[in-house]
Amino acid sequence: MFRLTLRSLRAEALRMLLSALAVVLGVAFIAGTLIFIDGMRAGTYERAGTFDRHTDVGVYAEQDPIPAALVEKVRAVEGVRAAEGELTGTAGVVGADGRPVLGFGFLAAVPTDPALQSYDVVAGRLPARPGEVVLDEGTVADEGFTLGAPVRVGGASGAARAYTLVGTVDVADTARDIGGPFIGLVGADALAVTDVGGYGRIMVAAEPGVADTVLADRIAEVAGTGTTVRSREQILDAAVADAVRDLRQFNLVLLTFAGVAVVVAAFVIANTFTIVLAQRARRTALLRLVGATRGQVFRATLLESALVGLAASAIGVLVGAGLAAGMTALMASLDTPLSGTLTVTPATVLGCLLAGTVLTVGAACVPAWQGTRVAPVAALTDAAVQVTRPAGRVRLAVGATVLAAGVAALAGAASAGQVLLVALGGVLSFLGIVLFGPVLVPALVRVIGAPARRVFGTTTALAVANAVRNPRRVAATATALVIGIGLVTSFVVGAQSTKTAIERSVDTQVGVDLLVTGIGGDLPAGVVDDLAARPELGVVHERRSEVADDVEFRAAHPALVGRTLTGVDSGQVDRLGPGRVLVHRELARERGWSAGDRVTLGDRSFEVAAVVTADPSAADGSVPAGHVVEVTSADLTRLFPAARGYLAEVDPAEGVDASAARAAVESVLAQYPTVNLMDQAAYKRMLTGTVDMLLAFVVALLGLAVVIALVGVANTLSLSVVERTRENAVLRAVGLTRGRMRAMLAAEAVLTALVGAVLGVALGVGVGAGAMAFLAELAGDFTLVLPWGQLGGILAAAVLAALAASVLPARRALSRPVVEALGAE
């Protein structure tokens, strides 16, 4: 049987080619992901401790920053050679052209003691005293800075000030290389620029001969509570653990999408073996007649599937290595800290080979078992070749029940907003489609094909008849498409709905022309005051809030506060001013406050100007709903002097045009390199840009599952062409032209793919509706938005891909002469 299996496999290698391609793609996705992650992990271990090469002990802040006094205490501990505070934060650089250097600026306090310095200096030296700065070599080269020249650096503390550039450092491919400039200052300057009250950690170098663990114990005695002391090994372990944890999360995401591709490949493989074994019914019967048992035939089929899976997996590993190499090169070219080296481990190779082989064998098990059930004598008749065994009644009944339950769960999720119902409804609906597909898919093929029959006539009628001839086969082929397209659709619908909700929220809450936002943090001190001092600007309002005693205090501007209010219960909103506040209805009811009352907030007395209601979407969830008090900006500063905001709203003064106002804002912001200026449209794009980027990432990953499913369409059509060789020859003999034969096969492929796409879109829309209902329960501003253009694009892409998938089967159907095809077995 073994030699017979090998001969059979060689003889029918072409029939398994597209099925093997599905395995290749699935395994390549998994192998590429694992090899890429292995390379990133290897790079992570190499980079761990880059800036701790001379650090023996570290004292880390747990919550509050470490005061400078503790640095002196640690420095005085016996066995300490050097100790300095370090902090990291954000800052910005003003470029040579007077504009902020683009990118997220990373600031770090650089040790001045040579015993702790671990930076690779490219030119010059590290800063040794206040007023000196080092930058990364890329920023220096791009801006044309020269050593000894002044460079303006600014952060949270206020406007940029000049520092002397004393050196350049190489931080490429490290955690401090995040796409923007790297800024190194001495500790005192770093504290001043970031406006924080202390350091994030203390770096300690030990005297020669002093063990780091012993020194760590000594330092722990003086460090006190609120800090964590780590030895050198613990510092490196923590650095690696943080980086590897992020890699594991990234790896899990990639492997989740790889799992989807593998499931789709399993459908394609199972369908392939079902068709191939059906076409071998006579051969199987002959083997049975000459003495082969069902077990031998079953094992021979599994052996064949194992050989196909192993060969395809080996190719998949090679393709995956190529993908990983491409990803590694891309990461390196983008100068991201996620770069690594191509690392192929035996465990990854063996794991991928095993996964692909097990996948193929597992998918072939059911078809292999069913293929041995044909009676030997019956299989020698012509009827045996026509495998049109309908799905069992139990399967259809269960499928209809499960599908109905899934649809009901999605409908319930759309009204109730329960995330568990969304997940349950999606899973049950898909399982229902799988089980009930032999009835549902052919019915949809007939429905969609009906208008096409009237337009294109007999050719389409033949395509419909061929497509529904074997309900189980067409259902399995279409179902493979449902997975990928369903997931793509759910993400597309979710992304569009989320973007619309964000834009609606901006329209509701932002009523000005210009917005000034902090880059990666709050606005720096002084920028709002400088903007307010410009005569070209009428409204300058910093959006700030603080929470105290389960109440959210918001800074409100009398000219803007009405945009978020939906009603006034009592009082007058326009009375908001110094010493007067607006209280939201829910808080007023709980505290028994009404308009005109004097209330104590913090340590100050205020008058309630009005009791108001507001859009729930304006709440941030940090306090009970409606527990909000709106006060003037000056009053909020008196209550919470340290309060900062990330956004300032700006409107031109009366009679000043928008361009003049924008120019005034830009002239102020030139001194603040950690802020951005944008209008409402740009602000919306900034908020929705992450959604677009995430959607592109997801669709790219799920696209492989769709490609594998379309390979399944081509595979099914190709095998069907082999099965219908004589029938197609008869059609050609009675006058069907080559063009009409191609059209018939193209229509068959399109109908199959279109039904799968329609079911996938319907499933994705249902899941998206449920997810949006769940988010609406949380935030109150999410509604289902159907991107008709994108959904139409998905269907159109499925149709075009199906047309492409029909080319090779059509060529195969037309390659044999009619007379030869009429005599085919």
Side-chain angles (χ1 to χ4, degrees), residues 592-642:
W593 297 343
S594 59
D597 288 352
R598 300 294 301 184
V599 299
T600 300
L601 300 171
D603 58 353
R604 296 179 180 272
S605 176
F606 294 89
E607 177 187 343
V608 178
V611 176
V612 300
T613 58
D615 186 345
S617 64
D620 65 0
S622 59
V623 297
H627 281 224
V628 178
V629 173
E630 306 206 34
V631 302
T632 63
S633 183
D635 282 337
L636 186 71
T637 300
R638 295 187 186 97
L639 289 169
F640 306 99

Side-chain angles (χ1 to χ4, degrees), residues 223-497:
T225 59
T227 61
T228 300
V229 180
R230 295 173 182 164
S231 64
R232 176 166 180 77
E233 183 178 354
Q234 291 172 329
I235 292 172
L236 296 179
D237 289 345
V240 170
D242 288 342
V244 170
R245 181 170 57 250
D246 294 338
L247 286 179
R248 284 174 181 165
Q249 294 172 351
F250 186 49
N251 193 18
L252 181 61
V253 171
L254 292 180
L255 288 179
T256 298
F257 290 104
V260 174
V262 165
V263 170
V264 175
F267 274 89
V268 174
I269 296 163
N271 202 31
T272 300
F273 274 95
T274 299
I275 300 171
V276 170
L277 294 176
Q279 294 173 358
R280 289 184 192 166
R282 289 182 179 176
R283 186 188 309 171
T284 303
L286 182 59
L287 290 173
R288 296 285 309 281
L289 284 174
V290 298
T293 65
R294 288 185 63 181
Q296 287 178 311
V297 174
F298 177 71
R299 288 191 294 272
T301 304
L302 293 188
L303 174 61
E304 183 178 354
S305 66
L307 294 174
V308 171
L310 183 61
S313 299
I315 298 173
V317 170
L318 294 176
V319 175
L323 291 175
M327 286 289 291
T328 302
L330 176 62
M331 289 295 182
S333 67
L334 295 177
D335 293 329
T336 67
L338 297 177
S339 59
T341 57
L342 187 65
T343 305
V344 182
T345 64
T348 296
V349 174
L350 293 177
C352 292
L353 292 176
L354 180 62
T357 304
V358 170
L359 164 71
T360 309
V361 173
C365 277
V366 173
W369 180 251
Q370 291 176 343
T372 64
R373 296 173 61 185
V374 181
V377 175
L380 295 177
T381 66
D382 287 339
V385 181
Q386 304 299 326
V387 182
T388 57
R389 184 171 58 87
R393 294 181 180 179
V394 174
R395 168 182 170 170
L396 295 178
V398 173
T401 303
V402 172
L403 180 59
V407 173
L410 288 177
S415 58
Q418 295 294 323
V419 67
L420 290 179
L421 281 179
V422 176
L424 182 63
V427 171
L428 289 180
S429 296
F430 174 70
L431 290 178
I433 292 172
V434 172
L435 296 174
F436 195 62
V439 170
L440 180 62
V441 173
L444 288 176
V445 169
R446 292 187 180 95
V447 170
I448 295 175
R453 283 199 303 268
R454 285 191 286 269
V455 175
F456 299 104
T458 305
T459 302
T460 305
L462 288 172
V464 172
N466 287 333
V468 302
R469 176 182 300 183
N470 192 317
R472 295 163 68 97
R473 181 183 301 177
V474 70
T477 305
T479 302
L481 269 171
V482 172
I483 305 174
I485 290 183
L487 289 172
V488 168
T489 300
S490 63
F491 279 102
V492 167
V493 171
Q496 186 60 48
S497 300

Side-chain angles (χ1 to χ4, degrees), residues 570-585:
S570 61
Q572 295 178 307
V573 174
D574 57 10
R575 295 189 68 240
L576 173 68
R580 298 193 184 97
V581 300
L582 304 181
V583 179
H584 287 218
R585 175 193 293 169

Side-chain angles (χ1 to χ4, degrees), residues 88-94 100-108 152-157 163 178 180-185 189-190 193-194 519-520 672-675:
T88 57
T90 61
V93 177
V94 178
V101 176
L102 296 178
F104 189 91
F106 190 99
L107 179 143
R152 287 187 294 161
V153 175
S157 61
Y163 295 82
I178 54 177
F182 169 81
I183 305 157
L185 301 170
D189 283 346
V193 171
T194 57
I519 300 176
Y672 295 91
T674 58
V675 295

Side-chain angles (χ1 to χ4, degrees), residues 27-218:
V27 172
F29 198 164
I30 297 175
T33 297
L34 293 178
I35 294 171
F36 178 60
I37 294 296
D38 286 342
M40 291 173 64
R41 182 179 289 109
T44 297
Y45 280 97
E46 292 176 1
R47 291 189 298 267
T50 299
F51 303 103
D52 283 307
R53 285 175 292 194
H54 304 297
T55 304
D56 297 309
V57 178
V59 182
Y60 293 80
E62 293 180 352
Q63 289 183 338
D64 298 327
I66 296 174
L70 184 56
V71 178
E72 298 301 325
K73 286 184 179 181
V74 171
R75 190 175 288 135
V77 172
E78 182 183 356
V80 172
R81 180 184 178 188
E84 290 198 31
E86 185 194 55
L87 65 88
T88 57
T90 61
V93 177
V94 178
D97 59 356
R99 297 182 179 182
V101 176
L102 296 178
F104 189 91
F106 190 99
L107 179 143
V110 177
T112 58
D113 194 312
L116 288 168
Q117 291 175 345
S118 298
Y119 286 86
D120 295 323
V121 178
V122 177
R125 59 176 175 83
L126 294 176
R129 60 187 63 86
E132 296 180 341
V133 65
V134 293
L135 300 175
D136 63 285
E137 58 178 334
T139 299
V140 171
D142 292 342
E143 295 297 324
F145 293 141
T146 58
L147 296 183
V151 173
R152 287 187 294 161
V153 175
S157 61
R161 55 157 292 191
Y163 295 82
T164 301
L165 180 64
V166 297
T168 61
V169 294
D170 179 13
V171 295
D173 297 331
T174 71
R176 299 184 181 185
D177 175 22
I178 54 177
F182 169 81
I183 305 157
L185 301 170
V186 298
D189 283 346
L191 288 172
V193 171
T194 57
D195 199 22
V196 297
Y199 297 103
R201 70 168 180 163
I202 302 174
M203 305 166 65
V204 180
E207 292 282 3
V210 178
D212 60 324
T213 54
V214 173
L215 186 58
D217 292 337
R218 295 176 186 172

